[in-house]
Amino acid sequence: MTDGPFNTPILGGKIQAEKFDNHISRALSSMKGQYHDQHAYDAMLAKADTLLYEVYEVCRPEKEGELMSGISIVHPGKVGNEYFMTKGHFHEVLDTAEIYMCLSGKGVMVMETPEGEWSVKDLTPGVSLYVPPRWAHRSVNTGDGEDLVTYFIYPANAGHDYGTIETQGFRKLVVDRGNGTEIIDNPKWVQV
Ligand code: F6R
Ligand code: ZN
């Protein structure tokens, strides 16, 4: 980590992994209980622990004033009729926002607040998405065979609360039941 200003190449072909501090890979086995079709999940996992998404992070000290950034890549595919997606989280410091910029692919961001508001916004190339403080967020790849690539920036002291979503899920799911992308109620959603 450098003290002074620095560049990170983001656009223009293959990600230069060596320019990032951290590379996170999340496979199917890390999403236990998150997909609504448990049977489809188990059957898929029995075949292979498929890679669902990857994150390349530019890390900074986790203190107020600093910013974290990086690239998130959600691969294409479905578990049953539900698209590949990130785990999703609230920020541990709930009052911290995040900006996402879609670089390529097609998807949506599923969001909700502890108070029960929800929102689903498109992620399309060249469009930025503002995730306000208090909104949990999960990116979903609704594209056809193409990676969903986003660039994100958020306060370095935000932290991540994965536990709440792991326990209660998101209120809304993004599925394709044969008629294109649909947003449906999560039948498994429970208030913690
Ligand atoms: C950071 C953030 C993104 C996500 C990334 C992977 O606050 O929102 O960098 O971390 O898209 O998603 P999760 O963290 O939900 O596995
Ligand atoms: Zn976040």
Side-chain angles (χ1 to χ4, degrees):
M1 209 179 287
T2 164
D3 277 343
F6 61 93
N7 293 117
T8 310
I10 298 296
L11 284 171
K14 209 173 159 327
I15 302 258
Q16 295 179 44
E18 70 282 1
K19 307 279 180 167
F20 292 83
D21 301 308
N22 212 6
H23 177 210
I24 301 162
S25 294
R26 289 224 216 275
L28 200 55
S29 56
S30 68
M31 297 291 281
K32 200 164 174 287
Q34 290 303 302
Y35 285 96
H36 78 284
D37 186 340
Q38 189 62 42
H39 180 73
Y41 177 87
D42 290 340
M44 199 167 166
L45 190 56
K47 283 192 195 142
D49 194 8
T50 309
L51 178 64
L52 302 182
Y53 66 99
E54 298 173 72
V55 183
Y56 292 89
E57 291 179 326
V58 178
C59 294
R60 297 297 305 165
E62 293 178 17
K63 61 181 192 195
E64 207 173 334
E66 289 278 0
L67 296 171
M68 295 280 206
S69 61
I71 300 281
S72 161
I73 305 169
V74 184
H75 297 302
K78 288 187 200 110
V79 176
N81 60 19
E82 196 175 356
Y83 294 100
F84 284 2
M85 60 193 185
T86 59
K87 280 165 102 73
H89 55 265
F90 286 96
H91 288 165
E92 218 171 325
V93 180
L94 204 51
D95 268 327
T96 50
E98 182 156 356
I99 286 178
Y100 276 82
M101 169 86 180
C102 180
L103 303 179
S104 63
K106 180 173 180 247
V108 293
M109 188 72 81
V110 178
M111 294 164 282
E112 67 180 49
T113 65
E115 290 74 32
E117 295 160 280
W118 66 272
S119 175
V120 176
K121 292 282 180 213
D122 285 341
L123 291 167
T124 46
V127 178
S128 141
L129 169 69
Y130 185 71
V131 180
R134 305 183 70 76
W135 287 77
H137 41 286
R138 157 181 284 167
S139 35
V140 182
N141 184 343
T142 59
D144 195 11
E146 204 191 335
D147 285 341
L148 171 66
V149 185
T150 51
Y151 175 62
F152 59 82
I153 309 170
Y154 65 99
N157 64 328
H160 295 93
D161 163 18
Y162 289 103
T164 305
I165 295 299
E166 272 165 12
T167 312
Q168 70 182 28
F170 275 83
R171 287 174 166 83
K172 299 290 169 184
L173 304 178
V174 187
V175 298
D176 176 5
R177 297 184 288 197
N179 297 309
T181 304
E182 281 181 83
I183 293 148
I184 61 166
D185 288 338
N186 179 359
K188 289 185 182 165
W189 187 83
V190 282
Q191 177 84 66
V192 172

